Amino acid sequence: MTDLHDRLERFETLTAECELIAKLATDSSKREFYLKLSEQYRQLAVDMRKAIATRAAA
């Protein structure tokens, strides 16, 4: 299950990095791109948490 936790941590890190880039972006199209990308990584993290919980319950 360490692999799942590693992936979860990676998705959370990528979410934070994309949010930071979006905040610092001066170009509105890049800002929107990184905000959307952070939302996708956030959803992957949520899905990974669910997978971890499901596997732990089994």
Side-chain angles (χ1 to χ4, degrees), residues 4-38:
L4 294 179
H5 284 100
D6 290 344
R7 286 185 183 192
L8 172 60
E9 185 177 332
R10 183 66 180 143
F11 290 144
E12 290 172 339
T13 300
L14 288 168
T15 299
E17 289 174 355
C18 287
E19 288 173 348
L20 178 61
I21 293 169
K23 285 181 185 178
L24 298 174
T26 56
D27 182 8
S28 63
S29 64
K30 287 186 180 181
R31 186 179 310 118
E32 287 300 317
F33 171 78
Y34 282 104
L35 284 174
K36 288 180 183 181
L37 191 57
S38 71

